[in-house]
Amino acid sequence: MADSKKRYPRTEDTQTVYLQNVITNPNIEVGAYTMYNDFYNDPAG
């Protein structure tokens, strides 16, 4: 099973993140395995 505690779910792929581990606003809720991909920039940055 995938580790939802990691920021980047795929090795060497810094374009895809688990949203729960990068969103800091307490008013936004997402599931543990919700992913986001940005083809041009690091979405965690």
Side-chain angles (χ1 to χ4, degrees):
M1 173 155 263
D3 182 1
S4 67
K5 302 288 184 210
K6 294 171 40 177
R7 176 175 282 195
Y8 302 102
R10 300 180 188 129
T11 303
E12 298 184 29
D13 176 4
T14 58
Q15 296 175 329
T16 305
V17 294
Y18 284 128
L19 280 178
Q20 188 177 53
N21 300 329
V22 296
I23 292 178
T24 57
N25 186 326
N27 295 322
I28 300 173
E29 294 183 31
V30 296
Y33 294 97
T34 304
M35 289 191 241
Y36 173 75
N37 181 284
D38 187 318
F39 294 103
Y40 300 105
N41 301 300
D42 181 349

